[in-house]
Amino acid sequence: MDNLDLTPQPQPRVRRPRPKVVTLSDTAAERVREIMSRPRQDGAEAPYVGLRVGVKNGGCAGQEYVLEYAEAANPLDEVVEDKGVTILVDPKAVLFLIGTEIDYEVTKLSAKFVFRNPNETDACGCGESVTITPVKLD
């Protein structure tokens, strides 16, 4: 008789896809792609690798969003690909930004990126700073 191993084998755990920390509206993605396709203002040859997003302490409401072009990804960045744009999220900001959509609005007086963040609990009158409560993980 053959030596058959009838011991149940563990099945690999199937992970469900993780939701994106942040997303871009179509308008914001188009604007970021347009800006990033231009030659760099500082004359450097290397293209930017993505858009860096974060949160810092400051302003009258306590926190401010940070949005800048990234030359390289940091080892702990949360990397999000959305609509052809690479978004690098500062690891210290992830819990503050979960569920955020970044939009781009053009009005008669301004053109700017706008954060639609479900974790925002307050904002100052001038619109430059916010109060954000981090997501509580269950």
Side-chain angles (χ1 to χ4, degrees):
M1 177 164 194
D2 293 332
N3 289 335
L4 294 176
D5 182 9
L6 298 177
T7 307
Q9 298 298 315
Q11 296 297 316
R13 194 170 114 193
V14 178
R15 295 183 182 259
R16 64 183 167 95
R18 288 178 28 185
K20 295 177 180 179
V21 174
V22 297
T23 58
L24 297 171
S25 69
D26 292 337
T27 309
E30 181 180 329
R31 181 66 176 145
V32 170
R33 287 191 306 266
E34 176 189 327
I35 292 170
M36 292 180 75
S37 69
R38 297 181 190 161
R40 287 180 50 168
Q41 296 289 331
D42 61 5
E45 295 292 322
Y48 292 114
V49 298
L51 183 66
R52 184 173 309 286
V53 179
V55 176
K56 69 176 186 176
N57 291 333
C60 51
Q63 295 165 305
E64 298 173 346
Y65 293 110
V66 177
L67 190 63
E68 59 191 12
Y69 299 102
E71 295 180 357
N74 294 329
L76 298 177
D77 282 341
E78 178 81 21
V79 180
V80 176
E81 299 287 338
D82 192 39
K83 298 178 178 76
V85 176
T86 300
I87 307 165
L88 306 172
V89 181
D90 179 342
K92 294 177 282 191
V94 168
L95 291 178
F96 292 100
L97 295 175
I98 290 175
T100 298
E101 179 190 52
I102 302 172
D103 195 7
Y104 184 74
E105 291 183 346
V106 178
T107 66
K108 290 182 180 182
L109 299 176
S110 69
K112 62 185 177 180
F113 288 99
V114 177
F115 287 73
R116 300 198 195 312
N117 186 342
N119 308 305
E120 233 177 76
T121 58
D122 196 12
C124 67
C126 66
E128 294 297 318
S129 67
V130 293
T131 303
I132 308 169
T133 303
V135 172
K136 296 198 182 342
L137 299 176
D138 294 330

